[in-house]
Amino acid sequence: MTEEKSLNFIEEIIEEDLRNGVHQKIKTRFPPEPNGYLHIGHAKSIVLNFGLAIKYGGTTNLRFDDTNPVTEDTEYVDSIKEDIQWLGYTWANEYYASDYFETLYDYAVSLINKGLAYVDDSSAEKIAAEKGTPTTPGQSNEYRNRSIEENLTLFKEMREGKYRDGEKVLRAKIDMAAPNMHMRDPVIYRIKHAHHHRTGDKWCIYPMYDFAHGQSDSIENITHSICTLEFIPHRPLYDWFIEKLEIFPSHQYEFARLNMTHTVMSKRRLMQLVNQGFVSGWDDPRMPTISGLRRKGYTPSSIRTFCDKIGVAKRDNLIDISLLEFCVREELNQTAPRVMAVLDPVKLIIDNYDPDKSEYLETESFPNQPEMVRKVSFSNTLWIEQSDFMEEPMKKWFRLAPGATVRLKSAYIIKCESFKKNADGQVTEIHATYLPESKSGADHSGMKVKGTIHWVDAKNAQSAEVRLYDRLFTSENPAIEENFLEHINPDSLVVKQAYIENGTAAKPGAHFQFVRTGYFCVDKDSGEKLIFNRTTTLKEGFKPKE
RNA sequence: UGUCCCAUAGUAUAACGGUAGUACGACAGACUCUGACUCUGUUUGUCGAGGUUCGAAUCCUCGUGGGACAACCA
């Protein structure tokens, strides 16, 4: 039985490199910028990079791309590390681009010495103007012909803090008429008198991404540097620096980033959701962040499975969020203990059950492990779901209705005898009679009922706050809408005051399946008062027809 | 009027010149003390036109469509 999974294009490249002896071992890296929280899109990259190294016996470095001190912070470093570990991965080394500032500086000097870099005194505006447009070539300026000596002196003075922010930059001297805009003498060093989260005030010049990333890969001997599609036009530059600097030839490969329906993924938009209070924070369970998904009840393996299933390719994609939900259901169905909870309670009174009596009934906690059982309290007064009763049942209605019989899960068969409504027409109380001989596990009634409903003993229940989360956006692809904020789902969070079986061992992070209603996870804020977050619903098989 | 990337069921992703397959979704049925799970079945696809070839989703050309690139961001 060979379960042969086809290779993605990166795996094909790696296998060919290994086969041809281009590399003996592969090295990958995950290079986040510590300026935000990781999201499910990053998870795709993490699973790819770490997964490749594991599959082919290589290693993966965690490298923080911290070349812009004004946006970066250790707060993000910590959360990123936590999320990667939570996902189940261990990095071989923890590095920072800032570890290489001295080396990078030397690289820049060597470029100057080769006549391949120059100091430009122009303003940012002038440089942008001279760069041309994608369809018109750029123009060079008077600084392009400065002597090597002058460039050396100026660059040294930049480092020494002799100039203010924006007064000068170091540029690579390539080709102002190149059809690829990134090759039109890109800026490689800029002056920023800013405090860096790691190097403090040691530097006032910082390398740009293009002058840091590839070289960092090279310094670490990264064999396969995997990034997203938007870096394709940077690749010629990536290769140019490595070639001119004559350093280890790392290679860049690009794959399509993850997009998901009913979700936004860009840091900018996610930041807006947080800052404008549409969600409670970066770890709000509606956020596609790793911390949000974790709080919502997603497990590391369900996220890994998801990343595995979506594949890796180069075409733009929009993955249906139902695939993510499928992955977590598939796992939780096996691992989450069942428990009964009633989210929209209505009282059910069993008229022929002794009001002074109560009993404990056995019920299974895992349907596929019949030996895993627990006892649930039962009496003449129960909570059941409002939605399990219909005054005038539709066709194919298996649940409760006047005169209808139904099985109370793990208890008795009951027959609805009457009900009460309030002035608003809302059902407030349902009366039923039960069949004593229909007790679950010892059913001698000979009756067959179509429906089974869940319940909680009203005389012995605990209350809980249950947070029902739904997709954050009603639009399938909010990112392409004019104003994505207008497409926020007003019902993305509905809070219920529910009843749950007494004695449920609900520690923060614990997963449960509320029988017939979905998967839930105990929130981190849960304490005296239990708080549950809905991870996802059960697949809905009942679809009423007109 | 540039350069680059991409194009296979609704959504993703395989098929590496030789029978277009898989997953999710949808639909139908079986089972069911969760209308869940499980099982069975159905549905829908190679962007277009040429060319090469015994044979093209695959190679070539030209279209068409989508995307990326003009931060002292990454």
Side-chain angles (χ1 to χ4, degrees):
Chain A
M1 172 103 64
T2 47
E3 206 167 303
E4 235 174 274
K5 208 200 162 208
S6 54
L7 304 177
N8 65 48
F9 78 100
I10 295 176
E11 291 171 325
E12 284 182 358
I13 290 167
I14 289 174
E15 293 202 358
E16 196 179 327
D17 285 348
L18 257 17
R19 207 180 310 123
N20 296 340
V22 178
H23 305 290
Q24 266 60 54
K25 262 189 186 319
I26 66 159
K27 274 192 166 190
T28 61
R29 104 269 91 117
F30 175 64
E33 183 188 12
N35 70 344
Y37 287 78
L38 260 27
H39 55 61
I40 184 77
H42 294 111
K44 178 179 181 181
S45 174
I46 291 168
V47 171
L48 215 209
N49 277 295
F50 283 90
L52 250 15
I54 291 168
K55 178 170 181 179
Y56 295 106
T59 55
T60 305
N61 289 342
L62 169 59
R63 184 176 70 239
F64 289 96
D65 234 330
D66 57 349
T67 56
N68 186 359
V70 302
T71 59
E72 295 151 7
D73 197 90
T74 48
E75 172 199 350
Y76 299 115
V77 170
D78 295 338
S79 80
I80 287 167
K81 285 161 68 175
E82 183 191 347
D83 287 347
I84 298 171
Q85 285 171 322
W86 179 76
L87 280 172
Y89 296 104
T90 307
W91 46 89
N93 302 99
E94 177 182 334
Y95 291 135
Y96 294 78
S98 54
D99 293 340
Y100 312 133
F101 280 173
E102 198 65 52
T103 307
L104 262 11
Y105 178 85
D106 291 342
Y107 285 164
V109 169
S110 106
L111 236 37
I112 294 173
N113 276 317
K114 289 179 177 174
L116 295 172
Y118 62 99
V119 172
D120 192 327
D121 300 359
S122 309
S123 67
E125 295 70 35
K126 181 159 174 282
I127 288 177
E130 287 170 350
K131 202 154 231 174
T133 73
T135 53
T136 58
Q139 298 166 345
S140 50
N141 63 31
E142 63 271 32
Y143 303 108
R144 198 170 200 264
N145 298 315
R146 283 221 253 236
S147 71
I148 290 174
E149 290 67 33
E150 188 182 6
N151 282 319
L152 250 17
T153 307
L154 259 16
F155 186 50
K156 183 160 174 279
E157 289 175 350
M158 281 169 64
R159 176 181 183 165
E160 287 164 352
K162 199 164 170 189
Y163 306 107
R164 289 188 307 267
D165 288 10
E167 223 176 310
K168 287 182 168 34
V169 291
L170 184 69
R171 291 227 255 169
K173 191 193 273 191
I174 307 178
D175 177 6
M176 287 305 289
N180 179 341
M181 305 259 332
H182 295 277
M183 299 301 273
R184 319 236 265 230
D185 290 11
V187 170
I188 59 177
Y189 261 95
R190 76 287 214 191
I191 299 168
K192 273 182 195 280
H193 291 272
H195 188 83
H196 186 278
H197 75 112
R198 298 199 93 224
T199 59
D201 298 314
K202 182 175 178 195
W203 294 87
C204 62
I205 57 171
Y206 294 93
M208 299 287 291
Y209 166 84
D210 285 309
F211 198 71
H213 198 96
Q215 288 89 320
S216 299
D217 285 340
S218 179
I219 290 166
E220 295 175 22
N221 281 207
I222 300 300
T223 56
H224 302 265
S225 177
I226 300 160
C227 62
T228 47
L229 256 27
E230 65 268 29
F231 289 98
I232 289 177
H234 294 250
R235 184 166 9 113
L237 229 201
Y238 183 105
D239 294 337
W240 190 88
F241 285 129
I242 283 177
E243 182 200 328
K244 300 304 179 192
L245 261 12
E246 302 174 74
I247 54 181
F248 178 85
S250 296
H251 287 282
Q252 174 183 303
Y253 304 93
E254 312 87 6
F255 70 98
R257 63 148 26 104
L258 166 68
N259 298 297
M260 229 169 33
T261 57
H262 306 287
T263 309
V264 294
M265 211 71 92
S266 80
K267 275 183 194 170
R268 195 193 101 244
R269 292 194 182 89
L270 258 16
M271 182 85 77
Q272 267 179 278
L273 291 172
V274 173
N275 290 345
Q276 296 180 33
F278 290 102
V279 295
S280 64
W282 287 99
D283 69 345
D284 185 297
R286 290 165 292 184
M287 292 284 275
T289 50
I290 304 298
S291 51
L293 291 168
R294 174 167 59 226
R295 190 170 177 185
K296 194 175 181 184
Y298 277 77
T299 59
S301 59
S302 66
I303 291 173
R304 278 187 256 118
T305 302
F306 170 75
C307 292
D308 222 52
K309 282 184 190 286
I310 59 178
V312 177
K314 298 189 77 155
R315 57 192 104 107
D316 294 317
N317 58 79
L318 183 63
I319 306 283
D320 197 320
I321 197 167
S322 67
L323 182 60
L324 217 208
E325 294 167 347
F326 165 82
C327 291
V328 77
R329 264 189 215 116
E330 188 184 40
E331 176 177 339
L332 259 19
N333 181 43
Q334 298 300 319
T335 59
R338 315 284 124 125
V339 75
M340 291 199 282
V342 175
L343 307 189
D344 288 301
V346 61
K347 198 161 272 186
L348 173 75
I349 296 165
I350 302 172
D351 295 324
N352 61 340
Y353 191 92
D354 182 352
D356 298 323
K357 184 184 167 186
S358 79
E359 62 182 313
Y360 277 89
L361 302 169
E362 194 168 84
T363 186
E364 77 273 18
S365 292
F366 296 90
N368 52 356
Q369 296 170 259
E371 68 282 5
M372 300 288 279
V373 294
R374 68 184 188 285
K375 300 277 195 181
V376 287
S377 169
F378 183 88
S379 75
N380 78 322
T381 310
L382 309 174
W383 295 116
I384 64 167
E385 217 66 72
Q386 284 172 29
S387 59
D388 282 337
F389 177 81
M390 272 191 106
E391 185 179 346
E392 290 170 32
M394 60 178 73
K395 56 180 174 182
K396 293 208 121 187
W397 178 257
F398 298 164
R399 286 114 90 161
L400 220 47
T405 53
V406 81
R407 157 80 60 186
L408 291 174
K409 171 79 182 166
S410 298
Y412 302 92
I413 291 173
I414 58 165
K415 180 180 182 189
C416 175
E417 305 289 357
S418 64
F419 63 96
K420 289 181 185 166
K421 287 202 285 192
N422 64 15
D424 301 330
Q426 203 188 8
V427 176
T428 54
E429 200 173 287
I430 298 166
H431 285 262
T433 51
Y434 84 116
L435 267 57
E437 68 275 25
S438 67
K439 186 171 178 175
S440 192
D443 186 351
H444 311 300
S445 71
M447 276 197 67
K448 273 233 190 282
V449 291
K450 279 287 224 181
T452 299
I453 64 171
H454 58 98
W455 51 273
V456 171
D457 184 356
K459 292 178 178 171
N460 189 8
Q462 51 187 334
S463 59
E465 177 177 321
V466 176
R467 298 172 180 170
L468 302 180
Y469 294 104
D470 199 355
R471 35 204 61 168
L472 225 201
F473 293 93
T474 51
S475 167
E476 186 169 69
N477 191 2
I480 62 169
E481 303 285 356
E482 340 62 57
N483 180 0
F484 78 105
L485 293 172
E486 286 171 6
H487 298 269
I488 286 186
N489 176 5
D491 301 317
S492 63
L493 169 59
V494 174
V495 179
K496 299 284 185 186
Q497 298 306 323
Y499 292 105
I500 182 169
E501 287 174 31
N502 217 344
T504 304
K507 297 221 167 58
H511 302 276
F512 294 95
Q513 184 198 102
F514 289 0
V515 175
R516 299 210 307 136
T517 68
Y519 293 101
F520 293 80
C521 175
V522 183
D523 190 75
K524 65 175 187 183
D525 290 342
S526 187
E528 190 98 346
K529 164 116 188 169
L530 291 179
I531 302 173
F532 291 91
N533 296 324
R534 181 168 71 193
T535 307
T536 187
T537 58
L538 252 32
K539 191 173 167 185
E540 185 58 82
F542 176 62
K543 277 160 198 154
K545 288 174 194 144
E546 315 279 313

